[in-house]
Amino acid sequence: MPDPSNYTDRPWMDPEAEPFIKVQSVSKHFGDFTAVDNVDLEIYKGELFSLLGGSGCGKTTLLRMLAGFETPSSGYIFIDGVNMNDVPPYERPINMMFQSYALFPHMNVEKNVAYGLRRDGIAGDEINQRVDDMLAMVELTQFRKRKPHQLSGGQRQRVALARALVKQPKVLLLDEPLAALDKRLRENTQFELMNIQDQLGVTFVVVTHDQEEAMTLSTRIAVMDAGRFMQIGTPTEIYEFPESRLVANFIGSANMFQGRITENGPDHVIVQCKQPDCEFYIDHGVSIQEGNKVWVAVRPEKITISSEASDYNGNNCIKGIVHDIGYLGKLSTYRVKTADETLIDVTSPNLARPKDGNLAMDWDDEVYLSWEASSAVVLTK
Amino acid sequence: MNNGKRSRFLFTVTCFGMAFLYIPMIMLIVYSFNYSKIVPVWGGFSTRWYTVLFESEVVWKSVILSLKVATVNAFFATIIGTLAGLALVRFGRFKGRTLFSGMITAPLVMPEVITGLSLLLMFITLKELFGWPDKRGFTTITIAHITFSMAFVAVIIQSRLAGMAQDLEEAAQDLGAKPFRVLTDITLPLLAPGMLAGWLLAFTMSLDDLIIASFVSGPGAVTLPMLIYSRVRVGLRPDINALATIIILVVATGVLIAAWIMFRQQKQRQLELQMSDED
């Protein structure tokens, strides 16, 4: 039983919480093409929810339906309990940050940020006050008279964020918010976004194709493929307990082996694989009949690589030779080839500095791989 | 060596091309200062044809008519053409869109005599049926010019809109602007350069037009191209040379001013780019 005091951080666990955004069996067709295929989704107040998927998976279409730029072919969207199907974009309690930022090129920073407030007919003094506060928050006060084309990419991104947030929307939609920034700026901005979300308590819905971005930002992630949700869960759930091979492969990388269940106990299963020829002892039960075909996924960083045979006891371990090494500085990735020519990826931190420029392990070295009984995941689809 | 040869070749070709373009105009300007009444015979320098020109009421009347037609035409053609362009690009797939888009570009390829003839026919029929327009002149010429120059404006607006990202308009809607506000706050300001280009094109095409105006004009209404054409039909005339020289001067001034403005804008943009780089 989850502890009720944790519900504030995890409203989706609370059986009594009302979802703030409710997507109910929504589909969207463009001609013959189905962009979004009968999806259901509940997002709670204060969440930072990510829609993650490759291009063409329907994540942007879903976001545009939330914003009101597309109407669902069927199904309903509720925001704060109100059916949004016939509400035009300009009347929704939602603001969006566009991937291109969509700053008005003929207005300066100040006017861009004030535009939404002007349309709401707010008094001039209040507009000035709120624009000032917002520009101070995104640290753009000294650029307020600049036109968008006189700003750098990071500055433009902050103007777009300020313009969307100044209206104090109940929900902020972000379409690939960090895609146009370079790596260093992206990391800083990620944390800035999280701070702002924390401060204002706005519900964020983020569309992204970048799994790292989704992992660091989100309270929950929905992995999308071909217009459907593959899995919805916290970053940890999705990474540690993927429900399908597609999710396991999309989030991080995984070694995937096909096998059959030979023993199914209440607290463990044993899967016999042919390639590599090895028995996997896994310490969580599954509701599958013995003899069924399954896949076992093991993350590269959960495998220990060692040149000592000491841990080699036949269970959850295998012998091989180093086929390839990728030195990444803080860690190295090894590709190990077993006796039956199966390739297994392993990542291992470089704890000690290599002696005389030689790495701890070298090409064609004989190595032993081992992993914990809790590290592998059984997948059925 | 090879390089020098090539550049000499280029130089010759350029000179030849320039001569081909400009010698006729230079001849025209030179002969406009000819004292002699017979154009190709040089009779000494004089500005008498300019005086004749300025004292001619017919010439002034035709200049004023042409400018009036061109201005009114450019105004309406820009409005209607812009609306047509917006309808074609922004309103998605409405019924008959392909037909509409084909029909709006038809006047661009239609021979002018056909356009002129059909418009004349229409005006005559209208007069038979409704008694309007009771006499052909300024109104009929302007209407005829609007029908063909709005097609050009529509094409310019269409291409400019297609290149303009739609997310700006969506962003405005998202921030609470109703569709009409989006049009006035975002779309039209961003379209302004295209509309200005369209206005200028419609204006010059109207000033330029001889054929359509000849068809739909009536007694007493003579545009400048019609006047020039009717006068030289019976033989070259020195006062028309003077008139043409003045037109060349006006056009050249206009082009120079436009070039200067563009040059300044470009410099300004470079300056701004440098400024944003320095941060």
Side-chain angles (χ1 to χ4, degrees):
Chain A
M1 269 305 284
D3 178 6
S5 64
N6 279 346
Y7 286 166
T8 45
D9 283 345
R10 291 183 285 171
W12 56 93
M13 306 280 284
D14 184 352
E16 275 160 29
E18 275 294 311
F20 193 67
I21 301 173
K22 196 168 170 191
V23 174
Q24 201 178 313
S25 37
V26 162
S27 295
K28 178 72 187 175
H29 311 285
F30 295 105
D32 289 341
F33 178 69
T34 304
V36 174
D37 190 3
N38 196 20
V39 299
D40 290 286
L41 180 64
E42 292 182 344
I43 300 175
Y44 294 85
K45 211 180 177 80
E47 270 203 86
L48 207 163
F49 194 94
S50 291
L51 297 168
L52 177 64
S55 58
C57 73
K59 56 189 195 299
T60 302
T61 308
L62 186 55
L63 194 79
R64 287 173 61 80
M65 284 195 279
L66 288 175
F69 300 131
E70 309 280 358
T71 34
S73 305
S74 62
Y76 301 96
I77 293 174
F78 295 93
I79 294 171
D80 208 3
V82 182
N83 183 356
M84 284 288 141
N85 281 35
D86 297 321
V87 180
Y90 47 89
E91 279 168 11
R92 295 194 182 199
I94 271 188
N95 284 120
M96 177 155 163
M97 198 180 112
F98 289 75
Q99 182 174 8
S100 62
Y101 307 146
L103 300 178
F104 306 134
H106 56 303
M107 299 183 193
N108 62 22
V109 169
E110 202 174 46
K111 290 214 171 98
N112 260 289
V113 176
Y115 187 80
L117 298 175
R118 286 241 157 77
R119 293 289 73 74
D120 287 356
I122 290 169
D125 292 346
E126 198 194 330
I127 292 182
N128 292 339
Q129 186 57 45
R130 278 166 74 173
V131 170
D132 286 348
D133 292 348
M134 198 42 83
L135 286 178
M137 192 180 89
V138 296
E139 293 165 15
L140 282 173
T141 308
Q142 74 267 39
F143 298 109
R144 57 189 308 152
K145 296 291 178 200
R146 292 267 183 100
K147 290 274 183 72
H149 63 94
Q150 296 166 293
L151 299 173
S152 70
Q155 289 165 347
R156 273 181 226 173
Q157 195 255 8
R158 301 211 300 275
V159 178
L161 186 65
R163 188 179 69 177
L165 281 173
V166 77
K167 291 194 72 178
Q168 300 168 349
K170 294 177 182 170
V171 180
L172 182 68
L173 308 175
L174 301 103
D175 189 3
E176 305 272 3
L178 309 174
L181 305 179
D182 61 53
K183 191 171 163 32
R184 196 170 52 88
L185 204 53
R186 193 151 65 196
E187 279 166 7
N188 291 337
T189 315
Q190 252 172 26
F191 292 111
E192 236 170 80
L193 270 183
M194 287 163 79
N195 279 338
I196 288 169
Q197 200 260 350
D198 224 32
Q199 266 175 45
L200 303 179
V202 183
T203 308
F204 276 31
V205 181
V206 182
V207 152
T208 179
H209 69 276
D210 184 336
Q211 47 122 337
E212 229 175 275
E213 192 175 307
M215 297 286 285
T216 32
L217 282 176
S218 324
T219 52
R220 284 192 301 157
I221 299 174
V223 183
M224 273 187 98
D225 183 57
R228 290 176 164 276
F229 292 130
M230 303 307 293
Q231 190 174 354
I232 301 175
T234 63
T236 332
E237 279 166 10
I238 288 197
Y239 190 80
E240 302 294 347
F241 306 103
E243 283 168 4
S244 61
R245 285 179 294 154
L246 195 132
V247 173
N249 268 326
F250 193 77
I251 311 286
S253 52
N255 295 295
M256 209 79 68
F257 311 114
Q258 206 183 60
R260 272 178 203 288
I261 295 182
T262 51
E263 190 182 321
N264 192 351
D267 62 343
H268 74 278
V269 280
I270 293 175
V271 179
Q272 176 65 48
C273 293
K274 283 216 169 64
Q275 267 194 317
D277 189 7
C278 169
E279 240 180 24
F280 287 78
Y281 179 92
I282 298 153
D283 73 352
H284 64 86
V286 286
S287 52
I288 314 161
Q289 287 290 306
E290 277 173 29
N292 272 350
K293 197 168 87 176
V294 292
W295 287 270
V296 177
V298 194
R299 300 269 183 208
E301 75 278 5
K302 296 205 161 54
I303 302 177
T304 316
I305 186 167
S306 162
S307 46
E308 311 293 321
S310 57
D311 300 326
Y312 191 77
N313 56 14
N315 210 351
N316 282 355
C317 64
I318 195 161
K319 202 162 80 172
I321 55 165
V322 177
H323 183 69
D324 223 337
I325 305 178
Y327 177 70
L328 303 174
K330 63 181 172 186
L331 40 85
S332 290
T333 67
Y334 300 92
R335 183 158 281 184
V336 175
K337 196 194 263 179
T338 62
D340 51 19
E341 302 275 300
T342 311
L343 293 173
I344 303 176
D345 287 333
V346 183
T347 57
S348 169
N350 293 320
L351 299 175
R353 184 179 287 178
K355 287 191 194 90
D356 314 322
N358 290 323
L359 294 165
M361 243 85 59
D362 213 342
W363 271 268
D364 294 330
D365 276 3
E366 191 159 271
V367 289
Y368 299 91
L369 306 179
S370 61
W371 54 92
E372 299 287 318
S374 59
S375 297
V377 185
V378 179
L379 303 172
T380 52
K381 51 185 180 191
Chain B
M1 187 64 200
N2 191 20
N3 213 353
K5 237 184 205 166
R6 204 180 135 195
S7 76
R8 210 176 307 150
F9 171 73
L10 278 178
F11 182 74
T12 320
V13 169
T14 312
C15 284
F16 188 76
M18 285 294 179
F20 189 74
L21 282 175
Y22 287 103
I23 281 181
M25 281 193 232
I26 292 168
M27 273 170 64
L28 188 93
I29 294 169
V30 169
Y31 279 120
S32 76
F33 294 103
N34 186 2
Y35 183 81
S36 163
K37 198 175 165 68
I38 307 152
V39 171
V41 178
W42 186 253
F45 181 84
S46 146
T47 54
R48 67 185 270 213
W49 301 117
Y50 288 88
T51 323
V52 169
L53 195 68
F54 280 109
E55 281 165 357
S56 159
E57 204 184 314
V58 185
V59 171
W60 276 115
K61 261 179 75 180
S62 73
V63 167
I64 287 166
L65 178 69
S66 268
L67 288 178
K68 252 167 70 182
V69 169
T71 313
V72 176
N73 158 64
F75 180 75
F76 282 105
T78 307
I79 292 176
I80 301 172
T82 304
L83 290 176
L86 278 170
L88 280 174
V89 181
R90 280 296 185 260
F91 293 160
R93 314 197 142 270
F94 55 87
K95 209 171 179 186
R97 183 180 177 277
T98 321
L99 186 71
F100 184 50
S101 115
M103 276 168 65
I104 207 145
T105 46
L108 306 183
V109 288
M110 196 70 76
E112 286 185 341
V113 271
I114 307 288
T115 313
L117 188 62
S118 58
L119 281 163
L120 176 63
L121 203 67
M122 184 190 79
F123 288 134
I124 289 172
T125 316
L126 279 177
K127 193 180 176 184
E128 289 285 310
L129 291 175
F130 306 106
W132 181 93
D134 55 346
K135 75 179 193 336
R136 292 194 296 280
F138 169 74
T139 317
T140 49
I141 299 173
T142 310
I143 291 173
H145 280 184
I146 291 172
T147 52
F148 81 88
S149 48
M150 61 149 257
F152 287 87
V153 178
V155 169
I156 292 179
I157 296 293
Q158 223 180 320
S159 70
R160 177 135 184 123
L161 266 177
M164 206 169 93
Q166 197 161 353
D167 52 9
L168 291 177
E169 288 155 60
E170 286 180 350
Q173 275 204 33
D174 185 64
L175 292 166
K178 294 194 173 68
F180 187 71
R181 282 308 304 225
V182 178
L183 186 73
T184 55
D185 286 357
I186 310 297
T187 318
L188 288 181
L190 293 177
L191 272 184
M195 285 167 73
L196 182 68
W199 193 95
L200 284 172
L201 189 66
F203 186 84
T204 41
M205 284 202 314
S206 168
L207 270 189
D208 217 25
D209 170 66
L210 169 66
I211 299 168
I212 294 175
S214 308
F215 271 100
V216 297
S217 170
V222 180
T223 64
L224 194 58
M226 282 165 73
L227 178 91
I228 294 173
Y229 183 70
S230 66
R231 292 230 172 144
V232 286
R233 210 161 32 167
V234 286
L236 293 172
R237 289 177 51 147
D239 55 339
I240 294 301
N241 286 349
L243 180 60
T245 305
I246 291 172
I247 294 175
I248 290 174
L249 200 75
V250 170
V251 170
T253 319
V255 169
L256 281 176
I257 290 174
W260 182 68
I261 290 173
M262 265 162 67
F263 175 73
R264 270 199 24 177
Q265 271 181 349
Q266 195 156 2
K267 259 187 108 170
Q268 178 76 19
R269 209 166 298 149
Q270 272 172 357
L271 213 75
E272 280 169 353
L273 266 179
Q274 272 171 8
M275 252 168 70
S276 66
D277 279 349
E278 277 161 19
D279 300 323

